[in-house]
Amino acid sequence: MTKEKLVDAIANMKDQEALQIARQMLEAGTDPRVLLEAGQEAMVIVGERYERKEYYLPELVVAGEMLKEIAEMVKPKLRGEALAETTPRGKVVIGTVEGDIHDIGKDIVAFMLEVNNYQVFNLGVDVPAAKFVEAIREHKPEIVGMSGFLTLAFDQMRLTVEAIKEAGLRDKVKIMIGGAPMDEDAAKYIGADAYGPDAAAAVKLANQWTGGN
Amino acid sequence: MAKSPEELYQERVKRILDACTGKVPDRVPIMGPYELFVYNYAGVTIKEAMNDYALARRACHKFVDDFQPDADFGPVLAYPARPMEFLGVKWFKWAGHGLGDNIMYQFIEGEYMKAEEYDEFIYDPSHFMATKWLPRSFKALEGFAGFPPMRLMMWFGWTGLLPMFANPEVQQALQNAIEAGKQLSEWFASLGQYTQEIKQKGFPLAYGALSWPPFDIIGDTLRGTRGIMADMIRRPDKLLKALEIATQLCIEYGSAAAGADLPLTWIWMHKGSEGFMSDEQYKTFYWPFLKRAIEGLVEKGCIVVIYCEGNDTPRLKYFVDVPKGKVVYHFATMDMAKAKEMLKGIAAISGNVPNRLLLTGTPDDVKAYCKWLIDTVGKDGGYIMDTSALLDEAKPENVKAMFEFTREYGVYR
């Protein structure tokens, strides 16, 4: 019962209540893994509400903060037991292209993909084409996400796609792009497979590409 | 007979003011805040422009001579590298300082005010800025952490507080501030010189002042995006109090435009766009404060340009609620036909030529887009041609097409 209460408190943005329930659960001797599971379940709900445009950035950020705070509370109680591993739906390499250090949009996409059971390799910002290539070789993702906010990103993304092609990896990955100045035509210019206007669109694209709905 | 620069100047000022205030000008004006493009066009890197003020002026002159905008920003957006290096600005990367020589400067997001510091900021914003924000922002001003609270100087308070100026770290910070001030004065002298020079050529300055929406004042420079987003849910009361203060700051910042030939206050709007927050959050935390700031600026004699950098179509229903004929909304992504329909008779519109088109399209693509804008939004005045966002990389022939087409096709008969 309490686990459900915790899921509910996190999903409904009752931050104080969520932390209080978590504390009580730990004090009552609840298996710390149950708290982490509750956090994951709540994230799925938050993600769904975000996709339905009931939630926006504030809720995503606060859910993330609550999860982190609960994880910190739980950490000392974990005695090395591993969480039940789930097989990820797919792997994604994501980054903001070289010359551009904007990360908010890219991080939201990474977050939403994780919530939707993708294993995300977030390369950060100002990522050179060679680093994308290297990460694709290393992690063998099905999907590559490139983010950019500045106009320079158009040519930098194009260059990155070129580099992926030259490395002989283009047919191994689907490439999606996003960022304020991007659009469908930009995707064509860049040689990406698709453009997504927001994180929900990114999840939809990823699901299509990994053979789902 | 050719018109004198003085006549051309007055003509341009009138054209823009007519468009801003809901009258039908002689033609659609064209102007905009451009960044990298101006320098690249003149064969100058942004690093050079930020380091050599005379070179930056020359580049801007070339742009004005060749493109003949109705008003110009000049070198104000090529921030001065020397004082920035001297101060050791911590929240910025620029060409030669963390970025390549021809990459536009970028802001480093962070919590430059911590969540638990709201009360301190609300109680005395100046003291917070002096002792917390300045040291966190500038390496050379870290000593300001020991700056005395001026509010306590009263009566015999000074006896205990003035000794704080004897602290060597405070003194060093003060010395550095003096040196930075001198360096910055050179930059402002260059900007002033440029303004006089283009005026003599017949071109007005496009801005009187620059400012930020109350929400973005707190969100951009103090709490960071993640911080302020969380605050809307976790500490709404404190955020609302801070926004009251930020509203006053926005007006104070922006009202410097009053009295200028073009009294335009440009407000750069980032975080209110669609996708950032819900309608409910927008009408609680964003719009009421921005609206009051707009009203305050208008009362002081300014025309307010709200420079929307995202998709603001869902916010149009709020945008209509401003003093008539005193506001210009610049749109990046927008349902322009809907915007025209809703804002007609209330506020002017500018922008929306996609920067992507100017980089990857052809002159014909650009002309077709401008034609659509003039036909749709320019009908009966109230429109200023401009790009979607600050212009960086673009093909000069495309930018030329935008200017020439607007001058030909944008004439009102």
Side-chain angles (χ1 to χ4, degrees), chain A residues 6-74:
Chain A
L6 180 58
V7 173
D8 187 72
I10 299 171
N12 291 316
M13 299 295 124
K14 293 174 187 152
D15 57 332
Q16 294 306 320
E17 198 183 312
L19 295 175
Q20 201 190 337
I21 296 172
R23 216 172 288 123
Q24 284 168 355
M25 283 169 78
L26 282 179
E27 279 163 13
T30 310
D31 184 340
R33 286 175 298 184
V34 174
L35 276 79
L36 296 178
E37 280 165 26
Q40 283 169 355
E41 280 173 35
M43 281 326 228
V44 173
I45 299 173
V46 169
E48 286 165 1
R49 289 183 187 169
Y50 175 77
E51 282 168 38
R52 286 202 300 269
K53 296 197 181 232
E54 291 163 26
Y55 278 180
Y56 287 84
L57 290 202
E59 289 81 8
L60 293 188
V61 172
V62 170
E65 282 188 3
M66 277 192 270
L67 223 62
K68 208 173 138 204
E69 284 160 28
I70 291 170
E72 263 158 36
M73 212 186 276
V74 163

Side-chain angles (χ1 to χ4, degrees), chain B residues 323-336:
Chain B
K324 283 194 176 70
K326 294 290 180 190
V327 177
V328 182
Y329 288 104
H330 171 103
F331 293 128
T333 309
M334 170 55 68
D335 178 342
M336 292 299 273

Side-chain angles (χ1 to χ4, degrees), chain B residues 112-151:
Chain B
Y112 300 100
M113 176 174 96
K114 300 192 181 90
E116 59 272 20
E117 289 172 338
Y118 265 108
D119 288 339
E120 217 178 302
F121 173 76
I122 292 161
Y123 177 58
D124 187 344
S126 290
H127 190 64
F128 176 83
M129 294 306 282
T131 57
K132 296 282 167 66
W133 190 81
L134 287 178
R136 285 171 193 166
S137 296
F138 307 99
K139 187 93 191 66
L141 303 184
E142 284 174 351
F144 274 125
F147 199 82
M150 303 302 274
R151 61 180 184 267

Side-chain angles (χ1 to χ4, degrees), chain A residues 15 53 56-59 61-62 65 69 99-104 107 150-152 154 183 185 189, chain B residues 93 103 106-109 225-226 229-230 232-234 274-278 281 356 359-360 392-393:
Chain A
D15 57 332
K53 296 197 181 232
Y56 287 84
L57 290 202
E59 289 81 8
V61 172
V62 170
E65 282 188 3
E69 284 160 28
D100 199 324
I101 65 167
H102 291 85
D103 62 359
I104 291 169
D107 285 347
L150 304 172
T151 325
L152 66 85
F154 293 113
D183 56 19
D185 290 336
Y189 174 78
Chain B
K93 285 191 180 186
I103 292 179
Q106 295 166 59
F107 179 65
I108 304 167
E109 276 268 344
T225 307
R226 289 174 187 84
M229 290 295 147
M232 282 193 268
I233 293 173
R234 303 194 89 173
E274 126 110 315
F276 276 92
M277 62 181 86
S278 70
Q281 287 157 343
R356 204 257 318 140
L359 174 68
T360 67
D392 292 324
E393 290 85 356

